Amino acid sequence: MDRKWKWVLSSGALLVIFLGRMTTALEVPLDLPQPPTITHQSPKDFIIDPRENILIYCEAKGKPHPSFSWTRNGTHFDVEKDSKVLMKPSSGTLVIDISGEKAEAYEGIYQCTARNEHGTAVSNNIIIRQSRSPLWSKERKEAIMVQVGVSLVLQCRPPAGLPPPIIFWMDNNFQRLPQNTRVSQALNGDLYFSNVLLDDTRNDYICYARFPHTQTIQQKQPITVKVLDNSPSGERRPSFMAPLGRSSTQMALRGGVLELECIAEGLPTPEVSWYKESGDLPSSRMSFHNFQKTLKIADVMEADAGDYRCTAKNSLGSAHHTIKVNVKAAPFWISAPRNLILAPKETGILTCRVSGDPKPQIVWSVNGVPVEDSPKDMSRKVEDDTVILSDVQTGSSAVYQCNASNEFGYLLANAFVNVLAEAPRVLTPPNNVYQVITNNPAFLDCASFGSPIPTITWFKDSQTSILNKDPYVIHNNGTLEINVAQSLNSGKYTCIASNNLGTKENHVYLEVKEPTRILAQPEYMVVQRNRKAVFECKVKHDPTLIPTMNWLKDNGELPDDERFLVDTDSLTINDVTEEDEGTYTCVMNTTLDQDSASAMLTVVEEPDPPTDLELTDQRERSVQLTWIPGDEHNSPTQKFLVQYEDLLHQAGVWHNLTEEEGTKTTAHLDLSPYAYYSFRVLALNHVGYSQPSQPSRQYRTNPAAPDVNPTDVQGVGTEHNNLVISWKELTGLQSNGPGLQYKVNWRQKDVEEDWSSETVANASKYVVSGTPTFVPYEVKVQAVNEYGNGPAPEAVVGYSGEDVPMSAPESVQVLVQNGTLAEVHWEPVLTSMVRGRLQGYKVSYWRERSLHQAEAQQEEQQVLAFSGNRTDGRLPGLKPYSLYTLNIRVVNGKGEGPPSPNHNFETPEGVPGPPSFLRIKNTNMDSLTLEWGPPQDNNGRLTGYTLKYQPVNNSNELGPVEEMTFPANETTITLADLKYSTRYKFYFNAKTIKGSGPTITEEAITIMDEAFIQQPIVDVVKGYTEPHLPISPITQSLRPQFHKVHPIGSAFTNVNSSVVGEEGAVISWEYFGPDKNVYVEYIVENSKEDWTKEFVNGSSGSQTYLIKGLKPGTSYRVRVVVKDHSEATIHSTEELVITLPAMKSNQVDLATQGWFIGLMCAIALLILVLLIICFIKRNKGGKYPVKEKEDAHQDPEIQPMKDDDGTFGEYSDTEDHKPLKGSRTPSNGTVKRDDSDDSLVDYGEGGDGQFNEDGSFIGQYSGKKEKDTHEGNESSEAPSPVNAMNSFV
């Protein structure tokens, strides 16, 4: 992580600026009298463009404002007499119009003079020269003929220009000629060839000169070079073409640029290196150019003098040249004279300290006149580089000039002496506010002027003490410095300037701020190409300063790309590319300071594929492969993968051959004969594999005999009299030559006989017929081609084919362990009888019957396999008290042998299974009947049953247990003396002599006593409230102790129903869900109406609810549901069918009344007569008014018969006695209607009719649509005539 801290001080000034201001000369306010001061002038050497006007600057200040004059070439230059020359108003700057004139007329040395009544200042000598770009002289160039390998110099020799031109070489197409270590341009513009090649032949070597001031380019005549190869030059050691000889000398000026050049020739092309014999090269100021042939040192210093050696080296030797460098110096300032402001009677000193090589000569002047030629002044004393002024007087102000010169240049400085008497004045603006960051120095200005120079004192917050001790420092210019500013240093500061003429004060303020800090710095990131990079930069700063966040890339602005997203504290770069690599810096700026932090982004991707594949060291079975790695893309190469393609056998298929480390670029490849190889290389780095390289050239190997034999040789028979010898064929690359075949050999093992053999081609197996069954053979397969045989193969043992076994296991015995497990034992089959590879034995067994049954009921056969040469096994999962049969077979690879004779065995008794069912019926208030069935699996002789039961209260607590036993031949029991409206839980199991079997359970609730049902039971809002049953003291004292039972499973359990009277029913259940919206819903059976819904309080536990207002003699479907807030059903019980009894009637049984029987007979006779009449009319073609008949005989449910339309009204009580869908049907089921078209069913109003034994009609009248309704509602009760009559009402 690269982190930089920069602190910017108040007023935008750095510490260096403050320190510089402390040492500068005292400035005189412009409203006070003062001698002239030159403020701006042209450079000493001024080259002008002849196409533009000449502008020579000379600006000065003073009080009064100075006047200006000029000299040219040492004599007065009268500006007013030359109409082409203009001097700017209030200025000494000259404007010379050279249009229509030659610029040469104004060349010369100019000097400006600025004077007023207090003194005279002069400028430097300004040399004006016109820029020149002379034409190349005409010359005829002959073609240069040169032999291959020799050195060559093409001279440029451009015309001398002012300033010197810039040289470069190009061709006729204005393309720069390529330069390298062999061909390069020297500092003088000549083109040097260390050795020439045939490719250097061309006729357009053109030297161009560009003149900077005029921006013109001039061209030399093209040079033709012809390279010959009839007598080429051989290789040679290097020698220097420039400079010549073993040593040379060069001079450089201090502060300038030193360029040292060494150009060598030789073959091969030499390389140049540099070093300094008497010290190290100045690395910070040094650079190499022109392919190491030029050494450039900037800002030359005296220490750069010495011997520099350049060395040219090639494979044949080396050459050396030493350049002795001398450093001279034009005059340079050590301490230039500065202006003096003196009060009358004061003393001052002017110093002019310079240095140079050779030592400069110093000349002093006063107001432009050498001191020795100026009037004598007793207060002035000149001593070499110093002028001492003592006891100065008013009016003795003047400008002194110091001129220091040697052969390489001169320095000229003006410094005035101003004699003034002036009271102090503070130049710093009042009430300045200085802001500084904690722990940094603070500088409070108190710039002042006065003569004599004022004394400065400082105070803080109006304190009386002078601040001139740690941590405060008062500098000579009046600035107050606080070395390490802290928050306690904030406040008001007062500076006072005083001299003998008065005092002046000024107030400033200091605010010390908290520094800006980057808390979370961006971190170095390595990102794959096309992914995202995120740099974080979280900052803390002084809350009173306004921050500005800026992101930089490589110290420049971010690219103008929408992929760069700048957030308040982060930079996100999407879809990163290689161009995004670099250093990213977040810079937090405030008005006072800044903090920055940098991190690098490295973009990685798969490496570029290797290039330039070459095959070397070529041999029969190997070759050396070399390559040049591609760009790694910032992720080092981990390894190289070499692949090959065999164009002879598998063209287009590449195989992996070998891998090499990522640092290697060669691989030794072992090859196979008779192949046409091409190779390619892939590079792998952390990101992944590169694309494959371009394939190498083809490399062919010569054929040879096979090196290997087929593998995976096996001998396995597929038939009882054969042997199949198989192998894995050789690949084309393994064949080593044309005509590949396989020599197959075999012989019977352990038998003295010769090998049999057969040669086959393009095959992977061979079948040997006529072999004995399952005998061992030795087999081997050898590869053969046109160039010989492969190595001697090794023999492999195989077996001829198997046949099914011939015999079964003998001596089968069964040992019964218990009712569910038996062990079986047998004698193994002889190996000769197995006739194959023994795989194991298979035991088949099945249950013939239970020992309870006399007749066999054979069950599905079960099979157990025992692998290997086993002689016993276990038979699990048997059923107790049963007869089993088993047999055993031996198994080999061909199949199963014959079974052994069937063997029978019996299993002993065990515990019985659960009873087949347990039903509860005839539930009353204090009794109920239990009915059960025997177990499906007795597993022995049943000895009886055990019943346990106990009460369960509303909080799921169990009461005491009662136990009863029953003999095996009983299937029902009635329990009496039970408690009314109580839930009981029953546990029931069967027993044999081995013990009790699994238990089944059931629950039931005794019926509630009607006498204790209190009205009203249902509250519309609150739901059902459990009735308060009176409990006697005796009952209370005998209440049993209970324990909790935790329900599991569905939300509803133990749902029961019972009928209460003729119009009510009680529903009971247990509910354990969290939802409270519980409803009882009911509907008349087979009705299409909506369910009737009544709300019930949804508390957990046992609940009982009374449904009132039901219709007697009707069947209802009832259920209990739980709904959510959207009225959707989330829990529901199964539907219960409740049938209410018909209302009791005191009517006389009409079926026993004689008059009723007679009436019925009369009606039957009348119907018979009507049928006969209808039959006669139909035969005559008449139409029977069916519609009228249907209208007259509508469904009695829709139009019940009244007293006035012939019904038996005296037996009708209410309308509620119309036929109900739940009415009971005769015990022997529904009577089917006669198939005759003229039956009473079709034409009469009765749907089903019956006659008693005495002939009385007792059928019910109902519509045809009611037939399906009555089906299935069977009852064991005998039909009653009263009920039959009630159906008419």
Side-chain angles (χ1 to χ4, degrees):
M1 180 64 62
D2 176 26
R3 182 154 190 183
K4 300 179 292 184
W5 300 92
K6 297 180 181 178
W7 304 103
V8 180
L9 304 178
S10 60
S11 303
L14 298 174
L15 174 60
V16 174
I17 298 176
F18 278 105
L19 295 177
R21 182 171 30 168
M22 297 170 192
T23 60
T24 57
L26 191 62
E27 292 290 333
V28 181
L30 286 176
D31 61 337
L32 296 177
Q34 56 184 293
T37 301
I38 301 291
T39 58
H40 182 48
Q41 57 183 320
S42 293
K44 295 178 181 180
D45 195 358
F46 188 17
I47 300 175
I48 63 171
D49 188 338
R51 298 168 298 180
E52 299 177 353
N53 290 339
I54 303 173
L55 196 63
I56 309 175
Y57 290 100
C58 181
E59 304 287 345
K61 67 178 181 177
K63 184 70 174 182
H65 190 72
S67 61
F68 298 90
S69 62
W70 285 87
T71 63
R72 187 173 74 174
N73 298 328
T75 60
H76 176 68
F77 180 44
D78 194 345
V79 176
E80 295 180 355
K81 289 183 178 181
D82 193 335
S83 61
K84 294 290 186 178
V85 180
L86 174 67
M87 185 183 294
K88 290 185 177 181
S90 302
S91 169
T93 298
L94 296 180
V95 179
I96 304 175
D97 183 5
I98 61 174
S99 60
E101 297 286 340
K102 291 185 177 181
E104 292 90 336
Y106 292 97
E107 290 183 330
I109 302 174
Y110 291 76
Q111 188 172 39
C112 173
T113 300
R115 61 172 52 88
N116 65 11
E117 61 188 58
H118 302 294
T120 301
V122 296
S123 71
N124 292 322
N125 288 329
I126 303 171
I127 301 175
I128 302 297
R129 293 186 293 171
Q130 175 190 347
S131 63
R132 290 178 174 82
S133 53
L135 297 176
W136 234 301
S137 60
K138 295 290 184 179
E139 57 182 349
R140 184 175 181 181
K141 289 289 185 181
E142 298 290 337
I144 299 175
M145 316 292 287
V146 63
Q147 293 291 334
V148 171
V150 303
S151 61
L152 175 65
V153 179
L154 301 182
Q155 294 182 348
C156 182
R157 299 295 186 266
L162 187 66
I166 299 172
I167 305 302
F168 51 92
W169 290 80
M170 301 200 335
D171 59 17
N172 280 331
N173 297 320
F174 300 100
Q175 299 296 319
R176 286 186 178 269
L177 294 176
Q179 298 187 26
N180 47 46
T181 57
R182 186 179 64 85
V183 182
S184 61
Q185 177 183 315
L187 293 175
N188 65 357
D190 293 345
L191 191 63
Y192 282 77
F193 294 76
S194 296
N195 52 78
V196 295
L197 305 175
L198 288 174
D199 293 342
D200 295 329
T201 299
R202 61 191 305 157
N203 59 3
D204 57 351
Y205 287 95
I206 305 173
C207 181
Y208 288 85
R210 181 169 65 86
F211 297 91
H213 267 64
T214 60
Q215 295 297 319
T216 57
I217 298 177
Q218 296 196 28
Q219 169 186 337
K220 188 176 182 176
Q221 288 294 108
I223 301 174
T224 299
V225 175
K226 293 183 179 180
V227 181
L228 308 177
D229 61 352
N230 53 6
S231 179
S233 175
E235 293 185 347
R236 60 192 179 277
R237 293 162 56 93
S239 63
F240 285 99
M241 304 170 69
L244 299 175
R246 299 184 60 85
S247 64
S248 60
T249 302
Q250 191 166 335
M251 190 271 291
L253 286 178
R254 180 183 183 275
V257 176
L258 172 63
E259 289 184 309
L260 303 179
E261 182 178 57
C262 281
I263 299 177
E265 65 90 20
L267 188 66
T269 301
E271 294 184 355
V272 178
S273 60
W274 293 85
Y275 75 95
K276 187 178 181 184
E277 293 183 353
S278 56
D280 296 331
L281 293 173
S283 58
S284 61
R285 298 179 289 113
M286 169 200 80
S287 59
F288 292 107
H289 301 271
N290 198 21
F291 310 100
Q292 296 281 111
K293 299 175 184 179
T294 302
L295 170 63
K296 184 176 181 180
I297 298 176
D299 192 18
V300 173
M301 305 169 60
E302 288 82 354
D304 294 329
D307 294 338
Y308 292 80
R309 170 178 279 195
C310 62
T311 300
K313 185 178 182 180
N314 67 9
S315 58
L316 300 180
S318 61
H320 307 280
H321 184 91
T322 301
I323 303 175
K324 184 176 184 61
V325 175
N326 298 314
V327 177
K328 300 295 183 177
F332 59 91
W333 292 114
I334 296 176
S335 175
R338 292 188 293 174
N339 295 335
L340 284 178
I341 295 93
L342 299 175
K345 306 295 183 180
E346 283 191 328
T347 297
I349 298 176
L350 292 174
T351 58
C352 181
R353 294 180 182 172
V354 295
S355 183
D357 188 8
K359 183 178 179 180
Q361 181 180 358
I362 297 176
V363 176
W364 286 94
S365 299
V366 179
N367 294 327
V369 178
V371 171
E372 56 270 17
D373 296 335
S374 64
K376 290 194 176 184
D377 186 351
M378 300 306 295
S379 64
R380 178 178 65 218
K381 182 180 180 182
V382 178
E383 294 181 354
D384 192 17
D385 61 354
T386 304
V387 175
I388 302 172
L389 301 172
S390 57
D391 195 21
V392 296
Q393 302 297 319
T394 303
S396 61
S397 298
V399 180
Y400 288 78
Q401 288 84 32
C402 172
N403 189 313
S405 61
N406 66 11
E407 61 183 282
F408 300 110
Y410 73 94
L411 293 173
L412 176 64
N414 290 280
F416 67 69
V417 176
N418 197 9
V419 181
L420 288 174
E422 184 70 21
R425 61 173 71 181
V426 178
L427 304 180
T428 300
N431 299 318
N432 262 3
V433 177
Y434 295 87
Q435 293 180 331
V436 70
I437 298 298
T438 303
N439 295 327
N440 281 269
F443 296 90
L444 309 183
D445 284 342
C446 187
S448 63
F449 180 80
S451 184
I453 297 175
T455 301
I456 304 298
T457 54
W458 282 90
F459 301 90
K460 181 178 185 296
D461 296 330
S462 302
Q463 298 175 359
T464 57
S465 59
I466 297 176
L467 303 177
N468 198 13
K469 57 182 179 180
D470 192 57
Y472 302 100
V473 176
I474 300 177
H475 293 279
N476 292 334
N477 66 348
T479 298
L480 176 65
E481 177 186 357
I482 305 173
N483 290 328
V484 182
Q486 302 294 329
S487 58
L488 56 85
N489 298 128
S490 298
K492 176 183 176 182
Y493 288 80
T494 302
C495 78
I496 298 177
S498 61
N499 65 10
N500 57 0
L501 300 179
T503 61
K504 187 70 174 179
E505 69 175 31
N506 189 41
H507 305 291
V508 295
Y509 298 87
L510 175 64
E511 295 178 355
V512 181
K513 305 291 186 179
E514 289 297 320
T516 301
R517 291 285 185 271
I518 293 180
L519 303 179
Q521 306 174 20
E523 297 181 351
Y524 172 72
M525 297 197 70
V526 178
V527 181
Q528 290 189 25
R529 190 173 182 270
N530 295 328
R531 297 196 178 179
K532 181 171 68 174
V534 179
F535 291 105
E536 288 190 352
C537 187
K538 296 183 179 178
V539 184
K540 177 185 178 183
H541 61 88
D542 192 288
T544 62
L545 301 177
I546 299 176
T548 302
M549 173 68 78
N550 189 27
W551 284 89
L552 305 176
K553 179 181 184 292
D554 296 329
N555 294 324
E557 293 185 355
L558 289 178
D560 185 13
D561 193 330
E562 62 182 8
R563 297 181 300 108
F564 288 76
L565 303 177
V566 178
D567 205 348
T568 55
D569 56 2
S570 66
L571 169 65
T572 301
I573 308 173
N574 294 313
D575 299 326
V576 171
T577 65
E578 286 184 345
E579 290 73 20
D580 299 330
E581 282 190 337
T583 300
Y584 289 84
T585 305
C586 70
V587 182
M588 176 59 74
N589 291 294
T590 66
T591 53
L592 293 183
D593 68 341
Q594 73 173 27
D595 192 9
S596 63
S598 301
M600 287 188 61
L601 172 63
T602 300
V603 180
V604 297
E605 59 178 307
E606 299 88 351
D608 288 343
T611 59
D612 298 339
L613 272 66
E614 292 186 6
L615 299 176
T616 59
D617 193 18
Q618 301 174 6
R619 301 183 182 182
E620 282 290 326
R621 294 293 189 98
S622 67
V623 71
Q624 190 86 5
L625 176 66
T626 62
W627 60 87
I628 297 177
D631 192 339
E632 294 181 330
H633 295 295
N634 299 317
S635 180
T637 302
Q638 298 172 347
K639 65 179 180 181
F640 292 100
L641 173 63
V642 180
Q643 297 180 328
Y644 73 91
E645 175 191 23
D646 183 1
L647 297 172
L648 179 62
H649 301 103
Q650 278 187 303
V653 180
W654 290 89
H655 304 274
N656 294 341
L657 181 58
T658 185
E659 292 181 351
E660 296 291 342
E661 295 180 2
T663 57
K664 294 185 177 181
T665 57
T666 62
H668 179 80
L669 308 179
D670 292 325
L671 307 179
S672 295
Y674 194 53
Y676 297 171
Y677 282 102
S678 285
F679 303 98
R680 69 183 187 185
V681 184
L682 293 83
L684 174 68
N685 65 6
H686 178 71
V687 182
Y689 275 104
S690 70
Q691 292 296 316
S693 67
Q694 291 296 320
S696 69
R697 64 179 176 84
Q698 190 180 113
Y699 185 72
R700 299 189 178 189
T701 55
N702 296 323
D707 292 327
V708 295
N709 288 315
T711 58
D712 197 19
V713 178
Q714 295 180 353
V716 178
T718 57
E719 300 294 338
H720 67 89
N721 59 351
N722 77 357
L723 171 67
V724 178
I725 303 173
S726 62
W727 59 90
K728 183 178 180 181
E729 293 187 80
L730 299 183
T731 64
L733 195 64
Q734 293 173 323
S735 66
N736 284 10
L740 177 65
Q741 293 181 316
Y742 302 102
K743 184 177 181 182
V744 184
N745 300 273
W746 70 91
R747 69 179 179 184
Q748 189 170 338
K749 193 174 184 297
D750 301 328
V751 176
E752 293 294 333
E753 64 178 19
D754 295 333
W755 288 89
S756 300
S757 67
E758 189 71 33
T759 301
V760 296
N762 298 322
S764 61
K765 67 179 179 179
Y766 178 77
V767 180
V768 180
S769 302
T771 62
T773 301
F774 197 67
V775 295
Y777 276 85
E778 291 181 294
V779 297
K780 55 185 180 180
V781 181
Q782 185 179 28
V784 179
N785 66 15
E786 294 179 3
Y787 288 82
N789 298 339
E794 294 183 359
V796 176
V797 176
Y799 283 83
S800 58
E802 301 179 69
D803 204 350
V804 293
M806 296 181 61
S807 63
E810 298 178 350
S811 304
V812 177
Q813 294 182 352
V814 177
L815 302 177
V816 178
Q817 303 296 319
N818 52 47
T820 60
L821 178 66
E823 284 188 2
V824 58
H825 297 260
W826 63 86
E827 291 290 336
V829 177
L830 295 177
T831 303
S832 60
M833 295 292 101
V834 174
R835 298 204 300 176
R837 185 170 285 103
L838 176 65
Q839 293 186 354
Y841 292 87
K842 186 178 293 185
V843 178
S844 302
Y845 63 99
W846 59 93
R847 184 173 181 249
E848 296 282 359
R849 60 182 174 85
S850 170
L851 294 180
H852 284 292
Q853 302 166 341
E855 297 181 0
Q857 293 182 351
Q858 182 174 327
E859 296 182 359
E860 182 180 354
Q861 178 177 286
Q862 300 183 61
V863 177
L864 285 179
F866 301 95
S867 60
N869 195 17
R870 293 276 298 272
T871 59
D872 61 82
R874 289 191 166 200
L875 307 180
L878 304 178
K879 292 185 178 181
Y881 205 56
S882 300
L883 174 64
Y884 280 88
T885 302
L886 65 77
N887 58 49
I888 307 176
R889 302 169 187 260
V890 65
V891 182
N892 66 10
K894 193 69 174 180
E896 301 176 2
S900 65
N902 287 350
H903 186 88
N904 295 328
F905 65 93
E906 296 179 356
T907 56
E909 291 188 64
V911 297
S916 56
F917 65 87
L918 176 64
R919 299 194 187 105
I920 300 173
K921 53 190 299 186
N922 300 332
T923 305
N924 295 309
M925 285 189 298
D926 60 353
S927 65
L928 53 79
T929 300
L930 296 178
E931 206 174 68
W932 62 87
Q936 293 183 354
D937 295 320
N938 287 349
N939 293 341
R941 292 179 293 273
L942 287 181
T943 59
Y945 298 95
T946 300
L947 170 66
K948 297 179 182 180
Y949 63 96
Q950 60 187 142
V952 183
N953 67 7
N954 290 340
S955 58
N956 296 323
E957 295 175 338
L958 297 174
V961 177
E962 300 288 343
E963 183 174 344
M964 301 177 67
T965 58
F966 311 103
N969 58 351
E970 285 196 16
T971 60
T972 181
I973 184 64
T974 297
L975 300 179
D977 297 330
L978 302 177
K979 294 183 180 181
Y980 59 84
S981 187
T982 300
R983 182 158 56 99
Y984 283 88
K985 190 164 188 177
F986 301 92
Y987 312 88
F988 195 74
N989 57 31
K991 297 185 296 183
T992 65
I993 59 174
K994 291 292 186 178
S996 299
T999 299
I1000 60 174
T1001 63
E1002 190 59 80
E1003 294 188 11
I1005 300 178
T1006 53
I1007 295 178
M1008 183 183 300
D1009 191 345
E1010 295 184 22
F1012 298 123
I1013 299 177
Q1014 300 182 3
Q1015 304 292 337
I1017 296 178
V1018 178
D1019 186 289
V1020 176
V1021 178
K1022 297 182 179 179
Y1024 175 74
T1025 303
E1026 185 174 343
H1028 301 283
L1029 304 180
I1031 302 175
S1032 65
I1034 299 176
T1035 306
Q1036 291 177 335
S1037 63
L1038 296 178
R1039 178 164 293 184
Q1041 299 296 319
F1042 291 91
H1043 61 275
K1044 283 283 185 181
V1045 174
H1046 299 284
I1048 58 171
S1050 172
F1052 290 98
T1053 58
N1054 297 329
V1055 182
N1056 292 286
S1057 64
S1058 58
V1059 176
V1060 179
E1062 297 177 347
E1063 298 181 348
V1066 173
I1067 308 299
S1068 63
W1069 67 87
E1070 287 184 7
Y1071 173 63
F1072 306 103
D1075 300 276
K1076 303 302 181 182
N1077 298 326
V1078 181
Y1079 297 85
V1080 172
E1081 295 181 345
Y1082 57 94
I1083 188 174
V1084 176
E1085 190 174 19
N1086 295 327
S1087 171
K1088 296 181 179 180
E1089 298 176 356
D1090 294 333
W1091 289 77
T1092 302
K1093 179 174 63 176
E1094 295 183 8
F1095 178 78
V1096 181
N1097 181 21
S1099 60
S1100 299
S1102 300
Q1103 293 286 320
T1104 305
Y1105 186 81
L1106 174 64
I1107 306 175
K1108 300 188 302 177
L1110 304 179
K1111 295 180 181 180
T1114 306
S1115 295
Y1116 289 83
R1117 300 205 318 269
V1118 183
R1119 67 188 181 192
V1120 184
V1121 298
V1122 177
K1123 296 179 179 292
D1124 59 15
H1125 296 292
S1126 62
E1127 293 297 308
T1129 300
I1130 55 177
H1131 297 295
S1132 176
T1133 65
E1134 295 183 357
E1135 294 180 7
L1136 303 176
V1137 178
I1138 300 175
T1139 302
L1140 274 69
M1143 183 176 290
K1144 296 180 180 179
S1145 175
N1146 294 323
Q1147 297 176 354
V1148 179
D1149 190 356
L1150 296 180
T1152 61
Q1153 303 298 313
W1155 62 269
F1156 177 77
I1157 295 173
L1159 178 61
M1160 293 296 103
C1161 292
I1163 293 173
L1165 181 60
L1166 178 60
I1167 292 172
L1168 181 60
V1169 172
L1170 291 175
L1171 291 175
I1172 293 173
I1173 295 173
C1174 290
F1175 181 77
I1176 295 173
K1177 285 186 176 183
R1178 178 179 298 178
N1179 290 338
K1180 292 180 179 182
K1183 295 182 179 180
Y1184 182 78
V1186 177
K1187 183 68 172 62
E1188 295 176 3
K1189 185 67 177 179
E1190 289 175 350
D1191 293 337
H1193 300 280
Q1194 293 183 359
D1195 193 329
E1197 287 188 6
I1198 300 175
Q1199 291 184 350
M1201 300 175 65
K1202 304 295 181 180
D1203 292 342
D1204 56 356
D1205 58 5
T1207 59
F1208 303 95
E1210 61 270 26
Y1211 294 103
S1212 176
D1213 292 335
T1214 65
E1215 291 183 359
D1216 292 334
H1217 289 276
K1218 64 184 178 180
L1220 296 176
K1221 294 182 180 180
S1223 300
R1224 301 179 181 235
T1225 57
S1227 60
N1228 60 347
T1230 303
V1231 178
K1232 296 182 180 179
R1233 71 183 181 95
D1234 193 279
D1235 291 335
S1236 172
D1237 291 338
D1238 296 329
S1239 67
L1240 289 176
V1241 176
D1242 289 338
Y1243 292 97
E1245 296 181 351
D1248 296 323
Q1250 280 187 326
F1251 289 88
N1252 284 341
E1253 293 178 355
D1254 57 358
S1256 61
F1257 182 76
I1258 60 172
Q1260 296 179 201
Y1261 284 87
S1262 64
K1264 291 175 64 179
K1265 296 180 181 179
E1266 294 296 321
K1267 175 183 178 182
D1268 294 336
T1269 303
H1270 297 314
E1271 290 180 4
N1273 295 329
E1274 300 179 1
S1275 174
S1276 59
E1277 296 180 8
S1280 169
V1282 176
N1283 293 339
M1285 289 304 302
N1286 286 339
S1287 65
F1288 285 97
V1289 182

